Amino acid sequence: MQASEKLADSPGFSAEVGDARALTVVDSSFDVVLLFGPLYHLTDRVDRLDAWREARRVIERVGLVFGMGITRYASLLDGLAQGTLFDDRFREIVERDLATGQHRNPTREPGWFTTAYFHHPGDLAQEAEEAGLFVRELVGVEGLAGWLHTLGKRWDNPSDRETILFSARAVESEPSLMGLSPHVIAVTGPSTHQEAASSDRPGRRV
């Protein structure tokens, strides 16, 4: 397991293979849970809800759960940016994505991603709420910059990087533009912000 090997000389860190729908840790074990991957690789809504509920179970009462989804329009916009939308085979994939959110790459074409589920931004928050979590914030991650691949060469310049980040921050919470981002994150927790602020119970692990 690559993660375990890389963390072998890092005291205080550990990694293990697990199932996001059935974690092996005890209740209230962590300060923060990152669902960065499971939610878009679990194509069945019941499984995604189980992953959210497990995150809620293992989080401290004042902890946070960050859930990331790929947005419903990701393949459409990526297809335009990369030119693959002009391929009828990819066009069929995109049409299914838009209609159902179920992304499939039956011919395993390189660069066309794998079996996944693409969320409407609001649906991501709705899943978290249905699992008993309080949604504190819902944000788009990259904004339009995520599709402008020519910006990659500017990232190493500190001033240019700040400009790119400014562009993302400017629209990250705008509902009408959230689907423009390749990824969206729901920032959630088991309690409201007011309840969390009033508690002084120490957390544990991430």
Side-chain angles (χ1 to χ4, degrees):
M1 211 174 74
Q2 292 184 9
S4 294
E5 292 174 0
K6 290 181 179 296
L7 294 170
D9 297 324
S10 302
F13 292 89
S14 64
E16 65 180 72
V17 176
D19 185 339
R21 300 165 298 177
L23 301 176
T24 59
V25 297
V26 299
D27 296 358
S28 304
S29 299
F30 297 93
D31 290 320
V32 177
V33 172
L34 305 180
L35 292 174
F36 285 6
L39 297 177
Y40 48 82
H41 287 302
L42 293 171
T43 58
D44 191 315
R45 189 173 190 273
V46 172
D47 289 334
R48 294 194 298 275
L49 289 174
D50 283 344
W52 279 112
R53 291 187 180 108
E54 276 293 88
R56 183 182 185 277
R57 179 183 68 80
V58 303
I59 200 71
E60 285 280 355
R61 189 174 67 83
V62 294
L64 293 172
V65 177
F66 294 80
M68 178 181 286
I70 297 176
T71 49
R72 181 66 57 90
Y73 307 100
S75 59
L76 172 70
L77 298 173
D78 186 59
L80 280 175
Q82 302 283 7
T84 52
L85 191 61
F86 300 96
D87 185 318
D88 289 342
R89 298 171 302 157
F90 190 75
R91 172 73 174 265
E92 289 181 4
I93 291 174
V94 169
E95 289 176 348
R96 176 176 181 168
D97 293 351
L98 294 174
T100 68
Q102 296 289 344
H103 181 85
R104 300 293 185 272
N105 179 7
T107 60
R108 298 186 179 183
E109 193 73 23
W112 290 8
F113 205 49
T114 187
T115 299
Y117 180 75
F118 294 171
H119 284 84
H120 280 296
D123 292 343
L124 185 71
Q126 186 178 44
E127 287 179 1
E129 290 173 344
E130 188 170 333
L133 289 157
F134 174 76
V135 179
R136 301 182 180 185
E137 192 172 15
L138 183 69
V139 296
V141 179
E142 303 93 344
L144 178 62
W147 306 118
L148 302 179
H149 303 296
T150 56
L151 294 176
K153 63 186 69 174
R154 290 184 175 273
W155 186 255
D156 291 334
N157 180 294
S159 177
D160 289 351
R161 180 166 61 249
E162 176 53 37
T163 298
I164 294 170
L165 292 173
F166 164 77
S167 75
R169 296 187 190 106
V171 299
E172 65 180 8
S173 298
E174 171 52 49
S176 66
L177 296 175
M178 205 168 292
L180 185 64
S181 286
H183 300 88
V184 64
I185 291 179
V187 183
T188 75
S191 59
T192 66
H193 178 72
Q194 289 78 11
E195 289 172 336
S198 65
S199 175
D200 60 358
R201 182 180 178 183
R204 298 183 186 178
R205 299 179 293 169
V206 176

